[in-house]
Amino acid sequence: VLCNCSVIVTSRPYASLKLQQMSCINRHVEVVGFTEKQIEDCIHRNITNEHKAARLIDQLHQRLDVFSLCYIPLNCAIMLYVYKQEDYQLPATLTQLYLLYVLHALKRSAEIHFDDLERDEVNDLRELSDPIKPPFE
């Protein structure tokens, strides 16, 4: 089965080692994520106000729970998106970070698909308009 695959993706290093030993696999690519310098460069590229970018970097060095997420590029993008949407403030908890990301994503989607939804109308999953509410009840 695996010999017919074009790409095999795993997040488990031990599985990757076993897969590399197979004769039908001729290439191994490992995505290791960002370095600390790349995280800072990403922040500076996405936040053009130098003061706000420096403040975020300082906050991340104090909030190692959030900073450790930023080594994964997608998590870094989520953190930056929420930071900008929340008027350049980091949420107090990781749960709030992800909840705010989901809420903002739902707001954007609802704005595109439902004309009657105002941008500031949804601040909680319980406040979703009727067409998009059922999956969250």
Side-chain angles (χ1 to χ4, degrees), residues 86-99:
E86 293 297 309
D87 199 27
Y88 299 95
Q89 298 294 321
L90 275 180
T93 66
L94 293 178
T95 301
Q96 288 175 339
L97 175 74
Y98 286 114
L99 178 62

Side-chain angles (χ1 to χ4, degrees), residues 21-104:
Q21 296 169 356
M22 298 178 70
S23 61
C24 61
I25 304 217
N26 59 8
R27 181 173 297 163
H28 174 254
V29 176
E30 184 176 353
V31 178
V32 293
F34 285 153
T35 64
E36 189 169 334
K37 171 110 173 71
Q38 289 171 321
I39 292 170
E40 291 180 11
D41 290 345
C42 183
I43 290 169
H44 286 287
R45 275 194 314 272
N46 285 281
I47 300 174
T48 54
N49 181 308
E50 185 60 35
H51 173 71
K52 290 177 181 177
R55 194 175 84 214
L56 173 59
I57 291 168
D58 289 341
Q59 288 176 343
L60 287 175
H61 285 294
Q62 294 170 9
R63 295 274 315 275
L64 296 180
D65 58 336
V66 179
F67 187 71
S68 66
L69 292 176
C70 292
Y71 287 101
I72 300 169
L74 178 61
N75 288 337
C76 190
I78 288 171
M79 183 275 308
L80 283 166
Y81 178 77
V82 171
Y83 185 72
K84 289 191 278 187
Q85 293 296 317
E86 293 297 309
D87 199 27
Y88 299 95
Q89 298 294 321
L90 275 180
T93 66
L94 293 178
T95 301
Q96 288 175 339
L97 175 74
Y98 286 114
L99 178 62
L100 287 168
Y101 177 73
V102 169
L103 284 172
H104 286 293

